[in-house]
Amino acid sequence: LVSCAKRAKTPNSELAVCRVLLAELEAHQDAWPFLSPVKLKSVPGYRKVIKKPMDFFTIKEKLINNMYLNQENFIIDVNLVFDNCQKFNEDDSEIGQAGHRMKRFFDKRWTELLRKQ
Ligand SMILES: Oc1ccc2c(c1)N[C@H](O)CC2
Protein backbone atom coordinates (compact mmCIF):
# COMPACT_ATOMS: atom_id res chain seq x y z
CA LEU A 1 0.00 0.00 0.00
CA VAL A 2 2.49 2.59 1.28
CA SER A 3 6.03 1.64 0.23
CA CYS A 4 8.14 4.64 -0.75
CA ALA A 5 7.94 6.17 2.74
CA LYS A 6 10.60 8.33 4.30
CA ARG A 7 12.76 6.35 6.72
CA ALA A 8 11.77 7.11 10.33
CA LYS A 9 14.24 8.53 12.83
CA THR A 10 12.17 7.28 15.83
CA PRO A 11 14.28 5.19 18.22
CA ASN A 12 13.31 1.49 18.06
CA SER A 13 12.04 1.47 21.67
CA GLU A 14 9.40 4.12 20.85
CA LEU A 15 8.23 2.11 17.84
CA ALA A 16 8.17 -1.12 19.90
CA VAL A 17 5.61 0.43 22.26
CA CYS A 18 3.50 1.48 19.24
CA ARG A 19 3.61 -2.08 17.85
CA VAL A 20 2.55 -3.53 21.22
CA LEU A 21 -0.28 -1.03 21.55
CA LEU A 22 -1.56 -1.65 18.01
CA ALA A 23 -1.53 -5.44 18.54
CA GLU A 24 -3.66 -4.99 21.68
CA LEU A 25 -6.11 -2.72 19.83
CA GLU A 26 -6.47 -5.23 16.98
CA ALA A 27 -7.09 -8.09 19.46
CA HIS A 28 -9.81 -6.20 21.39
CA GLN A 29 -13.33 -7.62 21.00
CA ASP A 30 -14.69 -4.17 20.10
CA ALA A 31 -12.10 -3.58 17.32
CA TRP A 32 -14.28 -4.94 14.48
CA PRO A 33 -15.46 -1.53 13.12
CA PHE A 34 -11.86 -0.28 12.97
CA LEU A 35 -9.81 -3.18 11.57
CA SER A 36 -9.81 -2.06 7.92
CA PRO A 37 -10.56 1.08 5.87
CA VAL A 38 -14.22 2.11 5.58
CA LYS A 39 -15.44 1.23 2.04
CA LEU A 40 -15.98 4.80 0.80
CA LYS A 41 -17.97 3.63 -2.24
CA SER A 42 -20.53 1.74 -0.14
CA VAL A 43 -21.09 4.14 2.80
CA PRO A 44 -23.12 7.17 1.70
CA GLY A 45 -21.76 10.46 3.04
CA TYR A 46 -18.60 9.05 4.62
CA ARG A 47 -16.15 10.50 2.09
CA LYS A 48 -17.75 13.98 2.41
CA VAL A 49 -18.10 14.02 6.21
CA ILE A 50 -14.80 12.35 7.24
CA LYS A 51 -11.87 14.35 5.85
CA LYS A 52 -9.14 11.97 7.06
CA PRO A 53 -10.25 8.31 7.18
CA MET A 54 -8.02 6.07 9.33
CA ASP A 55 -8.10 2.46 10.55
CA PHE A 56 -5.90 -0.08 12.36
CA PHE A 57 -4.74 -1.86 9.16
CA THR A 58 -3.54 1.43 7.63
CA ILE A 59 -1.75 2.28 10.90
CA LYS A 60 -0.04 -1.14 10.80
CA GLU A 61 1.08 -0.53 7.20
CA LYS A 62 2.50 2.87 8.21
CA LEU A 63 4.35 1.30 11.16
CA ILE A 64 5.83 -1.42 8.92
CA ASN A 65 6.92 1.20 6.37
CA ASN A 66 8.50 3.44 9.01
CA MET A 67 6.14 6.30 8.26
CA TYR A 68 5.83 7.45 11.89
CA LEU A 69 8.55 9.94 12.75
CA ASN A 70 7.66 9.71 16.45
CA GLN A 71 5.23 8.16 18.94
CA GLU A 72 3.07 11.29 18.84
CA ASN A 73 2.23 10.85 15.15
CA PHE A 74 1.18 7.25 15.87
CA ILE A 75 -1.09 8.40 18.72
CA ILE A 76 -2.57 11.14 16.49
CA ASP A 77 -3.57 8.47 13.91
CA VAL A 78 -5.11 6.18 16.55
CA ASN A 79 -7.12 9.08 17.97
CA LEU A 80 -8.21 9.96 14.41
CA VAL A 81 -9.87 6.52 14.21
CA PHE A 82 -11.92 7.27 17.34
CA ASP A 83 -12.67 10.91 16.45
CA ASN A 84 -13.96 9.82 13.01
CA CYS A 85 -16.14 7.21 14.74
CA GLN A 86 -17.65 9.77 17.12
CA LYS A 87 -18.31 12.15 14.23
CA PHE A 88 -20.07 9.63 11.99
CA ASN A 89 -21.91 7.47 14.55
CA GLU A 90 -24.48 8.23 17.26
CA ASP A 91 -23.12 7.63 20.76
CA ASP A 92 -25.90 5.09 21.45
CA SER A 93 -25.25 3.10 18.24
CA GLU A 94 -23.41 -0.25 18.24
CA ILE A 95 -20.38 1.23 16.44
CA GLY A 96 -20.52 4.43 18.50
CA GLN A 97 -20.40 2.43 21.73
CA ALA A 98 -17.56 0.23 20.40
CA GLY A 99 -15.60 3.39 19.59
CA HIS A 100 -16.05 4.82 23.08
CA ARG A 101 -14.96 1.52 24.68
CA MET A 102 -11.91 1.27 22.40
CA LYS A 103 -10.92 4.88 23.12
CA ARG A 104 -11.13 4.32 26.87
CA PHE A 105 -9.02 1.16 26.50
CA PHE A 106 -6.38 2.94 24.38
CA ASP A 107 -6.13 5.96 26.67
CA LYS A 108 -5.57 3.64 29.67
CA ARG A 109 -2.97 1.41 27.94
CA TRP A 110 -0.75 4.07 26.39
CA THR A 111 -0.50 6.03 29.63
CA GLU A 112 0.38 2.76 31.45
CA LEU A 113 3.01 1.83 28.83
CA LEU A 114 4.45 5.34 28.49
CA ARG A 115 4.46 6.05 32.25
CA LYS A 116 6.61 2.91 32.67
CA GLN A 117 9.39 4.32 30.42
O1 LIG B 1 -24.49 2.06 9.55
C1 LIG B 1 -23.19 2.17 9.24
C2 LIG B 1 -22.70 1.63 8.06
C3 LIG B 1 -21.35 1.77 7.75
C4 LIG B 1 -20.47 2.43 8.63
C5 LIG B 1 -20.97 2.96 9.83
C6 LIG B 1 -22.34 2.83 10.12
N1 LIG B 1 -20.15 3.62 10.71
C7 LIG B 1 -18.71 3.53 10.53
O2 LIG B 1 -18.06 4.51 11.30
C8 LIG B 1 -18.39 3.68 9.06
C9 LIG B 1 -19.04 2.60 8.28
Side-chain angles (χ1 to χ4, degrees):
L1 230 103
V2 281
S3 52
C4 52
K6 202 167 162 7
R7 291 277 147 252
K9 296 184 180 57
T10 309
N12 283 342
S13 58
E14 273 201 14
L15 282 178
V17 170
C18 297
R19 276 193 288 272
V20 165
L21 264 172
L22 183 64
E24 291 184 9
L25 291 173
E26 290 173 319
H28 195 287
Q29 68 168 16
D30 292 318
W32 53 272
F34 315 110
L35 291 173
S36 57
V38 172
K39 291 179 177 48
L40 301 179
K41 293 191 185 68
S42 45
V43 182
Y46 199 82
R47 186 200 301 272
K48 179 75 180 158
V49 171
I50 301 300
K51 303 307 177 193
K52 289 193 207 170
M54 188 48 65
D55 65 279
F56 296 161
F57 182 81
T58 302
I59 291 171
K60 183 151 68 181
E61 285 281 316
K62 288 179 74 171
L63 264 175
I64 289 166
N65 291 286
N66 286 327
M67 289 181 73
Y68 291 116
L69 296 183
N70 52 46
Q71 224 158 40
E72 183 53 30
N73 286 346
F74 167 80
I75 289 168
I76 286 167
D77 268 358
V78 174
N79 283 318
L80 184 54
V81 174
F82 303 138
D83 294 344
N84 290 345
C85 182
Q86 287 187 30
K87 186 170 188 180
F88 197 77
N89 303 279
E90 299 292 336
D91 286 340
D92 61 359
S93 65
E94 278 300 305
I95 293 183
Q97 282 297 304
H100 285 295
R101 288 195 295 270
M102 288 301 297
K103 177 171 175 47
R104 281 196 297 270
F105 173 78
F106 177 67
D107 287 347
K108 180 172 173 293
R109 285 299 290 146
W110 83 262
T111 41
E112 283 167 357
L113 289 175
L114 292 189
R115 199 169 286 140
K116 256 175 54 184
Q117 277 180 352

